[in-house]
Amino acid sequence: MTDPILDIRNLCLSFGRLRALEDVSLSVRPGERLALLGHNGAGKSTLFKAVLGFLQPSAGRIAVTGHAPGTDAARIAVNYLPEVVSFPRNLTGREVLVFFSGLRGAPRAAVADLLARVGLTEASDRTVGTYSKGMRQRLGLAQALIGAPRLLLLDEPTSGLDPVSRQEFYEIIADAAARGSAVLLSSHSLEEVQDRTDRVAILAQGKLRADGTLAELAAGAALPTRIRVTAKPGAADELHAAFGGRRVNGCRLELECPQDAKLAMLAQLGRHEHALSDIDLAAPGLNDIYRHYSGRNETEDRT
Amino acid sequence: MTTRIGTIFEQEFRQARRNLWVVLATGVLGLFAVALALFGAGQGAALKADVLTLTAASLATLSVYLIPLIALLMSYDSLAGEIERGTLALTFATPVRRWEVFVGKFLAQAAAVGLAIALAFGGAGLLAAVWLGTGAEGIAAWLRLMVTAAVLGAVFVGVGLMLSALAGRTARAAAAAVGTWLLLVVLYDVALLGALMASGEGTFASHVFPWLVIANPADAFRLYNLALIETAPIAGIDGLARTLPFPPVAALAGLGLWLGACLMLGVIRTKRIVP
């Protein structure tokens, strides 16, 4: 197995008394795309800033290609796209990329290729002020691709983009990963990163709640299937007595059962066919899985 | 190191040009210089004095207001604005050193102010010299004015950048820049004059007051220029120009100290920014 490009071990970071990150450990290998999910304020941006060396951890260790954050070797290895960035409106796209290439010591000759990769060749000599939001975000991504980065840190890179731009964006990221970059990107939604990243980590209130493939996360959550039963008039009480569950209204009942007991439950319902008018099945969705890990889990806390 | 500072310089200077700062500053300074030269032409005939020398004196007094204002306006948003727009985070994520960012910005903006001064004052001086005639004394006074005005501009670019790094937010940086301008350019003189009136002839007037004047970069600039122009009509605290207890060059040292202090503080502060 290859060594991870980014290796975070037991990272803790506080702002005064606020503990922004608590005991977070994760790693990203070359060519791997890891999605970091969490609510606003879950600590995603703080984690990124710690990896960039802007914030000092109070405990734990971060290594970027084996180097401490903020060292020259680490800074060369990491390229970053912040959540909010607006380049000077009076500079052209090409000038922006030439500027960051200069700071990174990357050749200016590569700028044309970067512009082509993000589809901005035509607009390269227009000022950023004339760009659409999607174009500006792609310029930001081009900036993050300067000098063949070992690690790409993308902080909510697609927020506010339309679905087409979003798709294009993930294609460019996949291309970068195929070239060997490790990618750590943050997002709000599991649906968005499904099939577009290799692994998902969920951060909530500064703690890492989950880390694995989507299938692993779904299995780990073991969320029940929800069965919604509509009873024939007057038969709701009979069903409630037989199956328990939650009465929604006069004729409807909501049941929950584990994945593997689903068939048995349906078979049992079949025996009460005379009382049934309709059955609705809802398998746990991505949002349910995300909520399971990131939610404050009040129900669990109470029980 | 030099390529990175050069990269920052290039970008900042280009933006100063695109934002029309250079054109605007050149226009305003040039207009005032020409107007004062015409005024000096009328005055010079009566006083039998060199027009360029007289104009240099009056322009020195006016520059004290204009140049700090232009320099502060150009620089106050430089770091604070980039923090708010998110571009400073990108810059700091590259291998660039924080001090290189600060120094690169300073050099570019000081060069932009210097260029505006050179174009405006140089053009106006040339015009006045050719049309109205002048002598060696006039040319010397004019060149001194141009060089020290550029230094004054650099000092206030340094002040503006330092405030920008300290404030961290555009709105706060703007307030700090306006406050600093009012304090150093307007209120300081009024306060000094008041103190001088109140204390009368005494140790304060002869020993403390001159040092307080050159402790302010704007006053130091004006005092240096006026002290070296014998025919200049002077009033207020500039009367000191005739009775300086130290050589006029000492006033330039005051400017140098300000510049050094602002750059140092600015760099220290920039290193602490969490973008």
Side-chain angles (χ1 to χ4, degrees):
Chain A
M1 244 185 147
T2 44
D3 285 334
I5 299 277
L6 173 66
D7 196 16
I8 300 176
R9 296 270 171 84
N10 310 106
L11 178 69
C12 298
L13 205 151
S14 321
F15 299 111
R17 289 177 61 198
L18 176 77
R19 305 177 80 176
L21 292 172
E22 272 186 79
D23 201 24
V24 172
S25 298
L26 54 85
S27 63
V28 195
R29 296 175 189 285
E32 188 181 35
R33 292 162 299 167
L34 173 65
L36 186 65
L37 267 75
H39 298 305
N40 291 326
K44 301 183 303 267
S45 294
T46 305
L47 181 76
F48 282 5
K49 284 182 181 175
V51 173
L52 288 163
F54 295 162
L55 295 172
Q56 285 305 315
S58 43
R61 198 175 65 87
I62 302 174
V64 180
T65 62
H67 303 277
T71 58
D72 269 353
R75 289 204 228 180
I76 289 168
V78 186
N79 277 19
Y80 172 52
L81 178 60
E83 185 181 349
V84 190
V85 60
S86 42
F87 297 111
R89 299 173 62 84
N90 54 7
L91 295 179
T92 67
R94 187 188 304 280
E95 282 164 350
V96 168
L97 294 186
V98 165
F99 172 69
F100 287 106
S101 297
L103 294 185
R104 289 195 168 273
R108 279 180 184 217
V111 166
D113 176 50
L114 287 170
L115 285 162
R117 271 170 79 187
V118 299
L120 284 177
T121 305
E122 305 248 308
S124 61
D125 292 315
R126 281 182 10 220
T127 56
V128 174
T130 67
Y131 284 19
S132 68
K133 179 162 176 128
M135 288 163 83
R136 270 181 269 152
Q137 202 65 8
R138 274 185 287 161
L139 180 62
L141 184 58
Q143 173 279 138
L145 296 173
I146 288 171
R150 308 282 307 280
L151 173 63
L152 273 177
L153 284 185
L154 311 171
D155 197 353
E156 287 177 35
T158 59
S159 63
L161 291 188
D162 61 72
V164 176
S165 311
R166 198 170 280 191
Q167 184 55 37
E168 287 170 357
F169 207 92
Y170 278 104
E171 278 164 17
I172 300 166
I173 294 173
D175 175 53
R179 293 176 191 222
S181 298
V183 181
L184 176 60
L185 65 89
S186 67
S187 174
H188 278 307
S189 134
L190 201 50
E191 250 163 72
E192 184 186 321
V193 298
Q194 135 176 259
D195 302 330
R196 288 164 171 168
T197 53
D198 305 304
R199 212 148 48 83
V200 176
I202 296 176
L203 202 59
Q205 292 159 309
K207 297 192 188 85
L208 197 65
R209 296 291 169 85
D211 181 6
T213 63
L214 208 47
E216 285 165 1
L217 257 53
L223 291 176
T225 297
R226 213 167 279 146
I227 303 173
R228 193 170 272 192
V229 179
T230 310
K232 286 199 171 125
D237 288 334
E238 175 199 335
L239 286 174
H240 193 200
F243 294 96
R246 195 164 64 85
R247 284 290 281 271
V248 179
N249 56 25
C251 63
R252 234 181 270 157
L253 195 62
E254 206 172 78
L255 307 171
E256 285 187 349
C257 74
Q259 289 283 5
D260 49 6
K262 191 167 62 184
L263 285 175
M265 175 74 108
L266 286 176
Q268 212 184 335
L269 274 167
R271 285 197 283 278
H272 292 263
E273 202 191 338
H274 59 276
L276 290 172
S277 104
D278 194 18
I279 291 182
D280 211 16
L281 272 179
L286 292 169
N287 275 332
D288 299 309
I289 297 173
Y290 175 44
R291 248 200 313 263
H292 169 80
Y293 286 107
S294 69
R296 286 155 185 95
N297 286 341
E298 286 111 331
T299 40
E300 264 179 33
D301 290 348
R302 263 189 263 127
T303 48
Chain B
M1 178 191 101
T2 39
T3 28
R4 292 193 297 243
I5 294 183
T7 304
I8 305 245
F9 180 92
E10 194 187 350
Q11 164 114 327
E12 284 294 323
F13 195 75
R14 184 183 286 135
Q15 279 186 271
R17 260 183 24 232
R18 297 248 172 101
N19 287 335
L20 300 181
W21 272 120
V22 178
V23 176
L24 203 72
T26 306
V28 170
L29 291 174
L31 265 175
F32 275 109
V34 169
L36 287 176
L38 291 176
F39 180 69
Q43 227 185 1
L47 290 170
K48 294 195 170 41
D50 183 84
V51 176
L52 213 52
T53 315
L54 275 181
T55 311
S58 49
L59 197 52
T61 309
L62 185 75
S63 298
V64 161
Y65 293 91
L66 276 183
I67 290 175
L69 190 65
I70 291 170
L72 285 171
L73 283 177
M74 204 185 268
S75 57
Y76 84 88
D77 193 34
S78 200
L79 287 156
E82 280 215 49
I83 295 172
E84 286 193 359
R85 288 193 300 274
T87 43
L88 202 62
L90 285 180
T91 302
F92 284 176
T94 71
V96 76
R97 301 285 177 273
R98 302 264 175 121
W99 71 265
E100 292 170 347
V101 174
F102 192 88
V103 169
K105 279 177 180 285
F106 166 76
L107 290 177
Q109 289 171 1
V113 178
L115 179 69
I117 289 169
L119 289 176
F121 288 5
L126 206 64
L127 213 66
V130 170
W131 263 3
L132 308 164
T134 185
E137 194 207 337
I139 293 173
W142 197 262
L143 286 178
R144 265 199 312 269
L145 173 73
M146 278 174 59
V147 172
T148 50
V151 174
L152 180 70
V155 169
F156 275 90
V157 164
V159 171
L161 279 174
M162 180 194 71
L163 293 175
S164 198
L166 276 172
R169 294 258 165 256
T170 295
R172 264 190 285 168
V178 170
T180 304
W181 183 80
L182 272 177
L183 188 74
L184 288 183
V185 174
V186 184
L187 296 178
Y188 195 85
D189 283 9
V190 175
L192 271 194
L193 214 53
L196 195 61
M197 300 287 239
S199 67
E201 300 282 319
T203 355
F204 177 77
S206 59
H207 287 93
V208 183
F209 175 67
W211 295 103
L212 283 179
V213 172
I214 62 162
N216 178 338
D219 283 337
F221 158 80
R222 188 174 52 202
L223 195 67
Y224 172 78
N225 277 287
L226 294 183
L228 291 174
I229 298 172
E230 278 164 17
T231 49
I234 46 181
I237 61 168
D238 296 330
L240 177 64
R242 296 283 169 270
T243 57
L244 274 186
F246 42 72
V249 182
L252 290 188
L255 282 175
L257 283 178
W258 267 87
L259 189 59
C262 287
L263 292 185
M264 211 169 69
L265 262 174
V267 167
I268 290 173
R269 187 58 216 168
T270 306
K271 286 186 177 171
R272 299 217 177 124
I273 292 176
V274 176

